[in-house]
Amino acid sequence: MPASDSDAPARAPWWTKAVVYQVYPRSFADSDGDGVGDLGGIRSKLDYLADLGVDAVWLSPVYPSPQHDNGYDISDYQEIEPVFGSLAEFDLLLAEAHERGIKIVMDLVVNHTSDEHAWFQESRSSLTNPKRDWYWWRKPQADGSAPNGWGSAFSGPAWTLDDTTGEYYLHLFAKQQPDLNWENPEVRQAVYSMMNWWLDRGVDGFRMDVINFIAKRVELVDGPAAATGGGSPMGPQIHDFLQEMHREVFEGRRGEHLTVGEMPGVSTDDALLFTDPARHEVDMIFQFEHVGLDQGEHKFDVLPRNLPALKQSLSRWQDGLAATGWNSLYLNNHDQPRLVSRFGNDTTYRYESATLWALVLHLHRGTPYIYQGEEIGMTNVRFDFIHDYRDLESLNHYREAVEDFDLDPGTVLAGVQTMGRDNARTPMQWDASPQAGFTTGTPWLAVNPNSADINVAADLSTERSIFRFYQSLIELRHESEVVALGDFALLEPDHEALYAFTRTLGDETLLVVANASDAPLSGPLPADVSGAELVLANYPADPDAAAHPTETTLRPWEARLYRL
Ligand code: TEU
């Protein structure tokens, strides 16, 4: 049903008007001085989040974990990692968030477990263990090599030979993250019962880690090695699995829940199937197309920013999910470099470019996600040595590139500095004190050296507050139906600097014009704005505007939202 249908707003689900804030617990706020963020820290910042105005918090994993991948390797799904707190404290966090009208969305990591999870410990113990088939075990090929040629997302092969039984197990990510075998109905039931346990406890939904990979192309797992290079491992039975999950977990529940599936490598056609409400799979997905545009063959091969490609990609997703389905909107998360460094100018025009991208993103149709620190324009970090980094993806890549492929260490380090995930994971910068107010101890990953200048306290004390700008955008989405539901139309798709589009619902039209460059941009605007209301902008009104009524100059990184 088209968005502009007159009765659409009344039927629109709550999350069409919602903004979600992602907390990466390790790096958010540390309440006990051990250098690692925790639930106590999050509780102490709930008023901050309520002030920002977000509707829900997505918590990156807080479950017991050996932390090889910072909690995305879970060893117990129904407990809290002691470093973060306890179940009792989690219940407090949930209650205190709910008191402030903030929902809590958990991270659901069920493509794989930790190799220290009891399920895997049992599974690996013998060929006949009842849980043997809960993971992907395969015999070596005749020459002893792995069952197929799949590589792990974190360097090296996706198969590891386990000495106990002489068979390989599959891990699309690190070798400490064995993939669960969703073909086995016992696995699926165990996951559904765990999800129900959290929902019964009061949580408001799940962000589902690489959920499209739970369904494997089984013929490839067992196929000849030569036939398995490239392509996505996602199997067509993914839709059955998600529909079954919906029936077993969400159907018949009252209240407002959120399901968002992280899905690398999917197309808009796939997304349409995943998010069509009539199919009962997930509410929305995280797609990766727009964050892959500046990456070459390998994610650490950095390509120059290409604004037309970025606009056209996001616009294709807007069009693809216009009639049915729903988009999620993000430029940042715990896996991506900081948006102001990646797409903006993190020195001269930090305020302007941070707010420009905020305005552009939040005015698209979909549910916007803010990643901690984005709301104060935190930037990438630039550590001088590879040993200052902590992320296993960066460390494995560096070792492989330098040791196995003999690449120049300086070049490899530069790739990590630009694209590495630790850019997003340096501690949240709360104030100008030595550890940025994040901890009284030694942080697990060093604080960005710019924290004396860039921090929450400093941002809130200036006229040009990025936080306040985000606040306005969130308010706008809450109040304005055209922001939530209006049809999207991209203007000037090939322009190298101008990002312009309209949103229309009934007889209301909004226009976004944004100059995504360091140079002033002069010329006629793509629509007539005489008599239009300027709803939001990141510069004060142009003092020379009266002198050139038919021409407008957009100053560097200037962004304006008009109601026509
Ligand atoms: O990420 C999945 C994913 O495909 C990537 O974004 C990946 O992490 C990497 O950045 C590719 O270069 C999810 C989580 O968001 C990530 O933190 C986990 O490490 C990963 O799954 C494994 O659980």
mmCIF file with all atom_site columns, all heavy atoms in Angstrom, residues 106-110 195 205-212 242 245 250 258-263 281-282 286:
data_model
loop_
_atom_site.group_PDB
_atom_site.id
_atom_site.type_symbol
_atom_site.label_atom_id
_atom_site.label_alt_id
_atom_site.label_comp_id
_atom_site.label_asym_id
_atom_site.label_entity_id
_atom_site.label_seq_id
_atom_site.pdbx_PDB_ins_code
_atom_site.Cartn_x
_atom_site.Cartn_y
_atom_site.Cartn_z
_atom_site.occupancy
_atom_site.B_iso_or_equiv
_atom_site.pdbx_formal_charge
_atom_site.auth_seq_id
_atom_site.auth_comp_id
_atom_site.auth_asym_id
_atom_site.auth_atom_id
_atom_site.pdbx_PDB_model_num
ATOM 1   N N   . MET A 1 106 ? 17.380 -6.263  22.581 1.00 0.00 ? 106 MET A N   1
ATOM 2   C CA  . MET A 1 106 ? 18.584 -7.063  22.822 1.00 0.00 ? 106 MET A CA  1
ATOM 3   C C   . MET A 1 106 ? 19.244 -7.474  21.512 1.00 0.00 ? 106 MET A C   1
ATOM 4   O O   . MET A 1 106 ? 18.590 -7.580  20.475 1.00 0.00 ? 106 MET A O   1
ATOM 5   C CB  . MET A 1 106 ? 18.229 -8.332  23.604 1.00 0.00 ? 106 MET A CB  1
ATOM 6   C CG  . MET A 1 106 ? 17.587 -8.091  24.942 1.00 0.00 ? 106 MET A CG  1
ATOM 7   S SD  . MET A 1 106 ? 18.674 -7.218  26.070 1.00 0.00 ? 106 MET A SD  1
ATOM 8   C CE  . MET A 1 106 ? 19.596 -8.601  26.764 1.00 0.00 ? 106 MET A CE  1
ATOM 9   N N   . ASP A 1 107 ? 20.535 -7.766  21.580 1.00 0.00 ? 107 ASP A N   1
ATOM 10  C CA  . ASP A 1 107 ? 21.237 -8.303  20.425 1.00 0.00 ? 107 ASP A CA  1
ATOM 11  C C   . ASP A 1 107 ? 21.079 -9.811  20.451 1.00 0.00 ? 107 ASP A C   1
ATOM 12  O O   . ASP A 1 107 ? 21.339 -10.453 21.479 1.00 0.00 ? 107 ASP A O   1
ATOM 13  C CB  . ASP A 1 107 ? 22.724 -7.910  20.492 1.00 0.00 ? 107 ASP A CB  1
ATOM 14  C CG  . ASP A 1 107 ? 23.309 -7.653  19.118 1.00 0.00 ? 107 ASP A CG  1
ATOM 15  O OD1 . ASP A 1 107 ? 23.124 -8.500  18.234 1.00 0.00 ? 107 ASP A OD1 1
ATOM 16  O OD2 . ASP A 1 107 ? 23.965 -6.609  18.942 1.00 0.00 ? 107 ASP A OD2 1
ATOM 17  N N   . LEU A 1 108 ? 20.606 -10.367 19.356 1.00 0.00 ? 108 LEU A N   1
ATOM 18  C CA  . LEU A 1 108 ? 20.384 -11.808 19.253 1.00 0.00 ? 108 LEU A CA  1
ATOM 19  C C   . LEU A 1 108 ? 21.449 -12.367 18.315 1.00 0.00 ? 108 LEU A C   1
ATOM 20  O O   . LEU A 1 108 ? 21.420 -12.093 17.122 1.00 0.00 ? 108 LEU A O   1
ATOM 21  C CB  . LEU A 1 108 ? 18.985 -12.063 18.685 1.00 0.00 ? 108 LEU A CB  1
ATOM 22  C CG  . LEU A 1 108 ? 18.588 -13.522 18.520 1.00 0.00 ? 108 LEU A CG  1
ATOM 23  C CD1 . LEU A 1 108 ? 18.161 -14.107 19.863 1.00 0.00 ? 108 LEU A CD1 1
ATOM 24  C CD2 . LEU A 1 108 ? 17.454 -13.669 17.512 1.00 0.00 ? 108 LEU A CD2 1
ATOM 25  N N   . VAL A 1 109 ? 22.399 -13.110 18.874 1.00 0.00 ? 109 VAL A N   1
ATOM 26  C CA  . VAL A 1 109 ? 23.517 -13.617 18.070 1.00 0.00 ? 109 VAL A CA  1
ATOM 27  C C   . VAL A 1 109 ? 23.389 -15.129 18.013 1.00 0.00 ? 109 VAL A C   1
ATOM 28  O O   . VAL A 1 109 ? 23.892 -15.852 18.883 1.00 0.00 ? 109 VAL A O   1
ATOM 29  C CB  . VAL A 1 109 ? 24.868 -13.203 18.689 1.00 0.00 ? 109 VAL A CB  1
ATOM 30  C CG1 . VAL A 1 109 ? 26.007 -13.551 17.738 1.00 0.00 ? 109 VAL A CG1 1
ATOM 31  C CG2 . VAL A 1 109 ? 24.886 -11.719 19.016 1.00 0.00 ? 109 VAL A CG2 1
ATOM 32  N N   . VAL A 1 110 ? 22.659 -15.608 17.002 1.00 0.00 ? 110 VAL A N   1
ATOM 33  C CA  . VAL A 1 110 ? 22.354 -17.038 16.955 1.00 0.00 ? 110 VAL A CA  1
ATOM 34  C C   . VAL A 1 110 ? 22.763 -17.698 15.639 1.00 0.00 ? 110 VAL A C   1
ATOM 35  O O   . VAL A 1 110 ? 22.372 -18.829 15.372 1.00 0.00 ? 110 VAL A O   1
ATOM 36  C CB  . VAL A 1 110 ? 20.852 -17.289 17.243 1.00 0.00 ? 110 VAL A CB  1
ATOM 37  C CG1 . VAL A 1 110 ? 20.536 -16.973 18.699 1.00 0.00 ? 110 VAL A CG1 1
ATOM 38  C CG2 . VAL A 1 110 ? 19.957 -16.476 16.311 1.00 0.00 ? 110 VAL A CG2 1
ATOM 39  N N   . MET A 1 195 ? 14.575 -16.843 23.317 1.00 0.00 ? 195 MET A N   1
ATOM 40  C CA  . MET A 1 195 ? 13.990 -15.534 22.966 1.00 0.00 ? 195 MET A CA  1
ATOM 41  C C   . MET A 1 195 ? 12.735 -15.271 23.795 1.00 0.00 ? 195 MET A C   1
ATOM 42  O O   . MET A 1 195 ? 12.523 -14.163 24.294 1.00 0.00 ? 195 MET A O   1
ATOM 43  C CB  . MET A 1 195 ? 13.646 -15.497 21.466 1.00 0.00 ? 195 MET A CB  1
ATOM 44  C CG  . MET A 1 195 ? 14.859 -15.537 20.560 1.00 0.00 ? 195 MET A CG  1
ATOM 45  S SD  . MET A 1 195 ? 14.416 -15.727 18.806 1.00 0.00 ? 195 MET A SD  1
ATOM 46  C CE  . MET A 1 195 ? 13.826 -14.070 18.421 1.00 0.00 ? 195 MET A CE  1
ATOM 47  N N   . GLY A 1 205 ? 12.379 -6.512  22.129 1.00 0.00 ? 205 GLY A N   1
ATOM 48  C CA  . GLY A 1 205 ? 12.659 -7.002  20.780 1.00 0.00 ? 205 GLY A CA  1
ATOM 49  C C   . GLY A 1 205 ? 14.116 -7.362  20.607 1.00 0.00 ? 205 GLY A C   1
ATOM 50  O O   . GLY A 1 205 ? 14.881 -7.401  21.578 1.00 0.00 ? 205 GLY A O   1
ATOM 51  N N   . PHE A 1 206 ? 14.469 -7.616  19.352 1.00 0.00 ? 206 PHE A N   1
ATOM 52  C CA  . PHE A 1 206 ? 15.818 -8.098  19.056 1.00 0.00 ? 206 PHE A CA  1
ATOM 53  C C   . PHE A 1 206 ? 16.391 -7.467  17.801 1.00 0.00 ? 206 PHE A C   1
ATOM 54  O O   . PHE A 1 206 ? 15.692 -7.346  16.784 1.00 0.00 ? 206 PHE A O   1
ATOM 55  C CB  . PHE A 1 206 ? 15.811 -9.624  18.853 1.00 0.00 ? 206 PHE A CB  1
ATOM 56  C CG  . PHE A 1 206 ? 15.387 -10.390 20.068 1.00 0.00 ? 206 PHE A CG  1
ATOM 57  C CD1 . PHE A 1 206 ? 14.075 -10.826 20.193 1.00 0.00 ? 206 PHE A CD1 1
ATOM 58  C CD2 . PHE A 1 206 ? 16.282 -10.664 21.089 1.00 0.00 ? 206 PHE A CD2 1
ATOM 59  C CE1 . PHE A 1 206 ? 13.655 -11.526 21.320 1.00 0.00 ? 206 PHE A CE1 1
ATOM 60  C CE2 . PHE A 1 206 ? 15.873 -11.361 22.222 1.00 0.00 ? 206 PHE A CE2 1
ATOM 61  C CZ  . PHE A 1 206 ? 14.563 -11.796 22.340 1.00 0.00 ? 206 PHE A CZ  1
ATOM 62  N N   . ARG A 1 207 ? 17.656 -7.134  17.867 1.00 0.00 ? 207 ARG A N   1
ATOM 63  C CA  . ARG A 1 207 ? 18.467 -6.855  16.683 1.00 0.00 ? 207 ARG A CA  1
ATOM 64  C C   . ARG A 1 207 ? 19.188 -8.168  16.417 1.00 0.00 ? 207 ARG A C   1
ATOM 65  O O   . ARG A 1 207 ? 19.870 -8.707  17.296 1.00 0.00 ? 207 ARG A O   1
ATOM 66  C CB  . ARG A 1 207 ? 19.440 -5.715  16.983 1.00 0.00 ? 207 ARG A CB  1
ATOM 67  C CG  . ARG A 1 207 ? 20.471 -5.433  15.885 1.00 0.00 ? 207 ARG A CG  1
ATOM 68  C CD  . ARG A 1 207 ? 21.729 -6.277  16.048 1.00 0.00 ? 207 ARG A CD  1
ATOM 69  N NE  . ARG A 1 207 ? 22.750 -5.929  15.068 1.00 0.00 ? 207 ARG A NE  1
ATOM 70  C CZ  . ARG A 1 207 ? 23.878 -6.613  14.913 1.00 0.00 ? 207 ARG A CZ  1
ATOM 71  N NH1 . ARG A 1 207 ? 24.134 -7.661  15.660 1.00 0.00 ? 207 ARG A NH1 1
ATOM 72  N NH2 . ARG A 1 207 ? 24.752 -6.242  14.019 1.00 0.00 ? 207 ARG A NH2 1
ATOM 73  N N   . MET A 1 208 ? 18.992 -8.710  15.235 1.00 0.00 ? 208 MET A N   1
ATOM 74  C CA  . MET A 1 208 ? 19.430 -10.083 14.968 1.00 0.00 ? 208 MET A CA  1
ATOM 75  C C   . MET A 1 208 ? 20.703 -10.099 14.141 1.00 0.00 ? 208 MET A C   1
ATOM 76  O O   . MET A 1 208 ? 20.689 -9.770  12.950 1.00 0.00 ? 208 MET A O   1
ATOM 77  C CB  . MET A 1 208 ? 18.310 -10.823 14.246 1.00 0.00 ? 208 MET A CB  1
ATOM 78  C CG  . MET A 1 208 ? 16.993 -10.784 15.022 1.00 0.00 ? 208 MET A CG  1
ATOM 79  S SD  . MET A 1 208 ? 15.671 -11.533 14.068 1.00 0.00 ? 208 MET A SD  1
ATOM 80  C CE  . MET A 1 208 ? 14.314 -11.368 15.239 1.00 0.00 ? 208 MET A CE  1
ATOM 81  N N   . ASP A 1 209 ? 21.768 -10.510 14.777 1.00 0.00 ? 209 ASP A N   1
ATOM 82  C CA  . ASP A 1 209 ? 23.097 -10.519 14.168 1.00 0.00 ? 209 ASP A CA  1
ATOM 83  C C   . ASP A 1 209 ? 23.156 -11.462 12.958 1.00 0.00 ? 209 ASP A C   1
ATOM 84  O O   . ASP A 1 209 ? 22.757 -12.630 13.081 1.00 0.00 ? 209 ASP A O   1
ATOM 85  C CB  . ASP A 1 209 ? 24.092 -10.983 15.239 1.00 0.00 ? 209 ASP A CB  1
ATOM 86  C CG  . ASP A 1 209 ? 25.531 -10.732 14.868 1.00 0.00 ? 209 ASP A CG  1
ATOM 87  O OD1 . ASP A 1 209 ? 25.919 -9.565  14.750 1.00 0.00 ? 209 ASP A OD1 1
ATOM 88  O OD2 . ASP A 1 209 ? 26.279 -11.727 14.691 1.00 0.00 ? 209 ASP A OD2 1
ATOM 89  N N   . VAL A 1 210 ? 23.704 -10.977 11.855 1.00 0.00 ? 210 VAL A N   1
ATOM 90  C CA  . VAL A 1 210 ? 23.847 -11.753 10.600 1.00 0.00 ? 210 VAL A CA  1
ATOM 91  C C   . VAL A 1 210 ? 22.776 -12.851 10.454 1.00 0.00 ? 210 VAL A C   1
ATOM 92  O O   . VAL A 1 210 ? 23.082 -14.004 10.167 1.00 0.00 ? 210 VAL A O   1
ATOM 93  C CB  . VAL A 1 210 ? 25.261 -12.359 10.432 1.00 0.00 ? 210 VAL A CB  1
ATOM 94  C CG1 . VAL A 1 210 ? 26.248 -11.257 10.107 1.00 0.00 ? 210 VAL A CG1 1
ATOM 95  C CG2 . VAL A 1 210 ? 25.739 -13.140 11.635 1.00 0.00 ? 210 VAL A CG2 1
ATOM 96  N N   . ILE A 1 211 ? 21.521 -12.441 10.620 1.00 0.00 ? 211 ILE A N   1
ATOM 97  C CA  . ILE A 1 211 ? 20.450 -13.435 10.724 1.00 0.00 ? 211 ILE A CA  1
ATOM 98  C C   . ILE A 1 211 ? 20.209 -14.152 9.399  1.00 0.00 ? 211 ILE A C   1
ATOM 99  O O   . ILE A 1 211 ? 19.733 -15.297 9.391  1.00 0.00 ? 211 ILE A O   1
ATOM 100 C CB  . ILE A 1 211 ? 19.158 -12.785 11.273 1.00 0.00 ? 211 ILE A CB  1
ATOM 101 C CG1 . ILE A 1 211 ? 18.223 -13.843 11.864 1.00 0.00 ? 211 ILE A CG1 1
ATOM 102 C CG2 . ILE A 1 211 ? 18.463 -11.928 10.235 1.00 0.00 ? 211 ILE A CG2 1
ATOM 103 C CD1 . ILE A 1 211 ? 18.730 -14.495 13.119 1.00 0.00 ? 211 ILE A CD1 1
ATOM 104 N N   . ASN A 1 212 ? 20.560 -13.505 8.265  1.00 0.00 ? 212 ASN A N   1
ATOM 105 C CA  . ASN A 1 212 ? 20.321 -14.217 6.996  1.00 0.00 ? 212 ASN A CA  1
ATOM 106 C C   . ASN A 1 212 ? 21.270 -15.389 6.806  1.00 0.00 ? 212 ASN A C   1
ATOM 107 O O   . ASN A 1 212 ? 21.011 -16.273 6.002  1.00 0.00 ? 212 ASN A O   1
ATOM 108 C CB  . ASN A 1 212 ? 20.408 -13.261 5.798  1.00 0.00 ? 212 ASN A CB  1
ATOM 109 C CG  . ASN A 1 212 ? 21.725 -12.520 5.699  1.00 0.00 ? 212 ASN A CG  1
ATOM 110 O OD1 . ASN A 1 212 ? 22.327 -12.180 6.717  1.00 0.00 ? 212 ASN A OD1 1
ATOM 111 N ND2 . ASN A 1 212 ? 22.189 -12.266 4.495  1.00 0.00 ? 212 ASN A ND2 1
ATOM 112 N N   . LEU A 1 242 ? 12.586 -17.648 9.465  1.00 0.00 ? 242 LEU A N   1
ATOM 113 C CA  . LEU A 1 242 ? 12.117 -16.407 10.094 1.00 0.00 ? 242 LEU A CA  1
ATOM 114 C C   . LEU A 1 242 ? 10.612 -16.449 10.356 1.00 0.00 ? 242 LEU A C   1
ATOM 115 O O   . LEU A 1 242 ? 10.136 -15.936 11.372 1.00 0.00 ? 242 LEU A O   1
ATOM 116 C CB  . LEU A 1 242 ? 12.498 -15.190 9.240  1.00 0.00 ? 242 LEU A CB  1
ATOM 117 C CG  . LEU A 1 242 ? 14.003 -14.894 9.208  1.00 0.00 ? 242 LEU A CG  1
ATOM 118 C CD1 . LEU A 1 242 ? 14.299 -13.723 8.264  1.00 0.00 ? 242 LEU A CD1 1
ATOM 119 C CD2 . LEU A 1 242 ? 14.564 -14.588 10.598 1.00 0.00 ? 242 LEU A CD2 1
ATOM 120 N N   . MET A 1 245 ? 10.168 -18.555 13.374 1.00 0.00 ? 245 MET A N   1
ATOM 121 C CA  . MET A 1 245 ? 10.556 -17.777 14.559 1.00 0.00 ? 245 MET A CA  1
ATOM 122 C C   . MET A 1 245 ? 9.426  -16.821 14.949 1.00 0.00 ? 245 MET A C   1
ATOM 123 O O   . MET A 1 245 ? 9.068  -16.694 16.126 1.00 0.00 ? 245 MET A O   1
ATOM 124 C CB  . MET A 1 245 ? 11.830 -16.978 14.266 1.00 0.00 ? 245 MET A CB  1
ATOM 125 C CG  . MET A 1 245 ? 12.287 -16.101 15.414 1.00 0.00 ? 245 MET A CG  1
ATOM 126 S SD  . MET A 1 245 ? 13.631 -14.989 14.934 1.00 0.00 ? 245 MET A SD  1
ATOM 127 C CE  . MET A 1 245 ? 15.028 -16.095 14.912 1.00 0.00 ? 245 MET A CE  1
ATOM 128 N N   . PHE A 1 250 ? 6.806  -14.411 18.449 1.00 0.00 ? 250 PHE A N   1
ATOM 129 C CA  . PHE A 1 250 ? 6.142  -13.095 18.490 1.00 0.00 ? 250 PHE A CA  1
ATOM 130 C C   . PHE A 1 250 ? 4.631  -13.167 18.344 1.00 0.00 ? 250 PHE A C   1
ATOM 131 O O   . PHE A 1 250 ? 3.913  -12.329 18.882 1.00 0.00 ? 250 PHE A O   1
ATOM 132 C CB  . PHE A 1 250 ? 6.719  -12.175 17.410 1.00 0.00 ? 250 PHE A CB  1
ATOM 133 C CG  . PHE A 1 250 ? 8.159  -11.837 17.682 1.00 0.00 ? 250 PHE A CG  1
ATOM 134 C CD1 . PHE A 1 250 ? 9.183  -12.494 17.025 1.00 0.00 ? 250 PHE A CD1 1
ATOM 135 C CD2 . PHE A 1 250 ? 8.485  -10.881 18.639 1.00 0.00 ? 250 PHE A CD2 1
ATOM 136 C CE1 . PHE A 1 250 ? 10.503 -12.202 17.300 1.00 0.00 ? 250 PHE A CE1 1
ATOM 137 C CE2 . PHE A 1 250 ? 9.801  -10.580 18.924 1.00 0.00 ? 250 PHE A CE2 1
ATOM 138 C CZ  . PHE A 1 250 ? 10.817 -11.249 18.252 1.00 0.00 ? 250 PHE A CZ  1
ATOM 139 N N   . LEU A 1 258 ? 10.161 -4.828  18.491 1.00 0.00 ? 258 LEU A N   1
ATOM 140 C CA  . LEU A 1 258 ? 10.950 -4.449  17.319 1.00 0.00 ? 258 LEU A CA  1
ATOM 141 C C   . LEU A 1 258 ? 11.819 -5.626  16.921 1.00 0.00 ? 258 LEU A C   1
ATOM 142 O O   . LEU A 1 258 ? 12.479 -6.236  17.774 1.00 0.00 ? 258 LEU A O   1
ATOM 143 C CB  . LEU A 1 258 ? 11.844 -3.246  17.665 1.00 0.00 ? 258 LEU A CB  1
ATOM 144 C CG  . LEU A 1 258 ? 12.811 -2.800  16.559 1.00 0.00 ? 258 LEU A CG  1
ATOM 145 C CD1 . LEU A 1 258 ? 12.058 -2.101  15.439 1.00 0.00 ? 258 LEU A CD1 1
ATOM 146 C CD2 . LEU A 1 258 ? 13.870 -1.864  17.116 1.00 0.00 ? 258 LEU A CD2 1
ATOM 147 N N   . THR A 1 259 ? 11.796 -5.960  15.622 1.00 0.00 ? 259 THR A N   1
ATOM 148 C CA  . THR A 1 259 ? 12.748 -6.944  15.129 1.00 0.00 ? 259 THR A CA  1
ATOM 149 C C   . THR A 1 259 ? 13.486 -6.342  13.943 1.00 0.00 ? 259 THR A C   1
ATOM 150 O O   . THR A 1 259 ? 12.869 -5.859  12.990 1.00 0.00 ? 259 THR A O   1
ATOM 151 C CB  . THR A 1 259 ? 12.050 -8.247  14.686 1.00 0.00 ? 259 THR A CB  1
ATOM 152 O OG1 . THR A 1 259 ? 11.048 -7.952  13.711 1.00 0.00 ? 259 THR A OG1 1
ATOM 153 C CG2 . THR A 1 259 ? 11.414 -8.956  15.869 1.00 0.00 ? 259 THR A CG2 1
ATOM 154 N N   . VAL A 1 260 ? 14.796 -6.344  14.033 1.00 0.00 ? 260 VAL A N   1
ATOM 155 C CA  . VAL A 1 260 ? 15.602 -5.827  12.931 1.00 0.00 ? 260 VAL A CA  1
ATOM 156 C C   . VAL A 1 260 ? 16.721 -6.830  12.657 1.00 0.00 ? 260 VAL A C   1
ATOM 157 O O   . VAL A 1 260 ? 17.483 -7.180  13.553 1.00 0.00 ? 260 VAL A O   1
ATOM 158 C CB  . VAL A 1 260 ? 16.130 -4.395  13.204 1.00 0.00 ? 260 VAL A CB  1
ATOM 159 C CG1 . VAL A 1 260 ? 16.754 -4.252  14.577 1.00 0.00 ? 260 VAL A CG1 1
ATOM 160 C CG2 . VAL A 1 260 ? 17.130 -3.953  12.119 1.00 0.00 ? 260 VAL A CG2 1
ATOM 161 N N   . GLY A 1 261 ? 16.742 -7.322  11.420 1.00 0.00 ? 261 GLY A N   1
ATOM 162 C CA  . GLY A 1 261 ? 17.708 -8.355  11.062 1.00 0.00 ? 261 GLY A CA  1
ATOM 163 C C   . GLY A 1 261 ? 18.905 -7.764  10.336 1.00 0.00 ? 261 GLY A C   1
ATOM 164 O O   . GLY A 1 261 ? 18.744 -7.092  9.315  1.00 0.00 ? 261 GLY A O   1
ATOM 165 N N   . GLU A 1 262 ? 20.073 -8.028  10.850 1.00 0.00 ? 262 GLU A N   1
ATOM 166 C CA  . GLU A 1 262 ? 21.291 -7.610  10.135 1.00 0.00 ? 262 GLU A CA  1
ATOM 167 C C   . GLU A 1 262 ? 21.549 -8.608  9.007  1.00 0.00 ? 262 GLU A C   1
ATOM 168 O O   . GLU A 1 262 ? 21.653 -9.808  9.261  1.00 0.00 ? 262 GLU A O   1
ATOM 169 C CB  . GLU A 1 262 ? 22.484 -7.570  11.092 1.00 0.00 ? 262 GLU A CB  1
ATOM 170 C CG  . GLU A 1 262 ? 23.726 -6.984  10.433 1.00 0.00 ? 262 GLU A CG  1
ATOM 171 C CD  . GLU A 1 262 ? 25.032 -7.435  11.062 1.00 0.00 ? 262 GLU A CD  1
ATOM 172 O OE1 . GLU A 1 262 ? 25.096 -8.566  11.581 1.00 0.00 ? 262 GLU A OE1 1
ATOM 173 O OE2 . GLU A 1 262 ? 25.998 -6.670  11.023 1.00 0.00 ? 262 GLU A OE2 1
ATOM 174 N N   . MET A 1 263 ? 21.650 -8.116  7.773  1.00 0.00 ? 263 MET A N   1
ATOM 175 C CA  . MET A 1 263 ? 21.710 -9.017  6.617  1.00 0.00 ? 263 MET A CA  1
ATOM 176 C C   . MET A 1 263 ? 22.712 -8.550  5.571  1.00 0.00 ? 263 MET A C   1
ATOM 177 O O   . MET A 1 263 ? 22.334 -7.888  4.593  1.00 0.00 ? 263 MET A O   1
ATOM 178 C CB  . MET A 1 263 ? 20.327 -9.124  5.981  1.00 0.00 ? 263 MET A CB  1
ATOM 179 C CG  . MET A 1 263 ? 19.250 -9.644  6.926  1.00 0.00 ? 263 MET A CG  1
ATOM 180 S SD  . MET A 1 263 ? 17.852 -10.266 5.993  1.00 0.00 ? 263 MET A SD  1
ATOM 181 C CE  . MET A 1 263 ? 16.728 -10.734 7.313  1.00 0.00 ? 263 MET A CE  1
ATOM 182 N N   . GLU A 1 281 ? 8.025  -11.868 8.891  1.00 0.00 ? 281 GLU A N   1
ATOM 183 C CA  . GLU A 1 281 ? 9.428  -12.284 9.074  1.00 0.00 ? 281 GLU A CA  1
ATOM 184 C C   . GLU A 1 281 ? 10.109 -11.314 10.050 1.00 0.00 ? 281 GLU A C   1
ATOM 185 O O   . GLU A 1 281 ? 10.176 -11.610 11.235 1.00 0.00 ? 281 GLU A O   1
ATOM 186 C CB  . GLU A 1 281 ? 10.112 -12.384 7.704  1.00 0.00 ? 281 GLU A CB  1
ATOM 187 C CG  . GLU A 1 281 ? 9.413  -13.471 6.857  1.00 0.00 ? 281 GLU A CG  1
ATOM 188 C CD  . GLU A 1 281 ? 10.120 -13.839 5.573  1.00 0.00 ? 281 GLU A CD  1
ATOM 189 O OE1 . GLU A 1 281 ? 11.300 -13.495 5.378  1.00 0.00 ? 281 GLU A OE1 1
ATOM 190 O OE2 . GLU A 1 281 ? 9.472  -14.497 4.734  1.00 0.00 ? 281 GLU A OE2 1
ATOM 191 N N   . VAL A 1 282 ? 10.556 -10.152 9.582  1.00 0.00 ? 282 VAL A N   1
ATOM 192 C CA  . VAL A 1 282 ? 11.095 -9.139  10.510 1.00 0.00 ? 282 VAL A CA  1
ATOM 193 C C   . VAL A 1 282 ? 10.536 -7.770  10.132 1.00 0.00 ? 282 VAL A C   1
ATOM 194 O O   . VAL A 1 282 ? 10.057 -7.571  9.019  1.00 0.00 ? 282 VAL A O   1
ATOM 195 C CB  . VAL A 1 282 ? 12.649 -9.086  10.495 1.00 0.00 ? 282 VAL A CB  1
ATOM 196 C CG1 . VAL A 1 282 ? 13.246 -10.317 11.150 1.00 0.00 ? 282 VAL A CG1 1
ATOM 197 C CG2 . VAL A 1 282 ? 13.192 -8.886  9.076  1.00 0.00 ? 282 VAL A CG2 1
ATOM 198 N N   . PHE A 1 286 ? 19.001 -4.425  8.421  1.00 0.00 ? 286 PHE A N   1
ATOM 199 C CA  . PHE A 1 286 ? 20.174 -3.603  8.130  1.00 0.00 ? 286 PHE A CA  1
ATOM 200 C C   . PHE A 1 286 ? 20.812 -4.166  6.870  1.00 0.00 ? 286 PHE A C   1
ATOM 201 O O   . PHE A 1 286 ? 21.273 -5.309  6.853  1.00 0.00 ? 286 PHE A O   1
ATOM 202 C CB  . PHE A 1 286 ? 21.208 -3.687  9.267  1.00 0.00 ? 286 PHE A CB  1
ATOM 203 C CG  . PHE A 1 286 ? 20.792 -3.026  10.540 1.00 0.00 ? 286 PHE A CG  1
ATOM 204 C CD1 . PHE A 1 286 ? 20.879 -3.712  11.744 1.00 0.00 ? 286 PHE A CD1 1
ATOM 205 C CD2 . PHE A 1 286 ? 20.346 -1.708  10.570 1.00 0.00 ? 286 PHE A CD2 1
ATOM 206 C CE1 . PHE A 1 286 ? 20.519 -3.104  12.949 1.00 0.00 ? 286 PHE A CE1 1
ATOM 207 C CE2 . PHE A 1 286 ? 19.985 -1.093  11.758 1.00 0.00 ? 286 PHE A CE2 1
ATOM 208 C CZ  . PHE A 1 286 ? 20.071 -1.801  12.956 1.00 0.00 ? 286 PHE A CZ  1
#
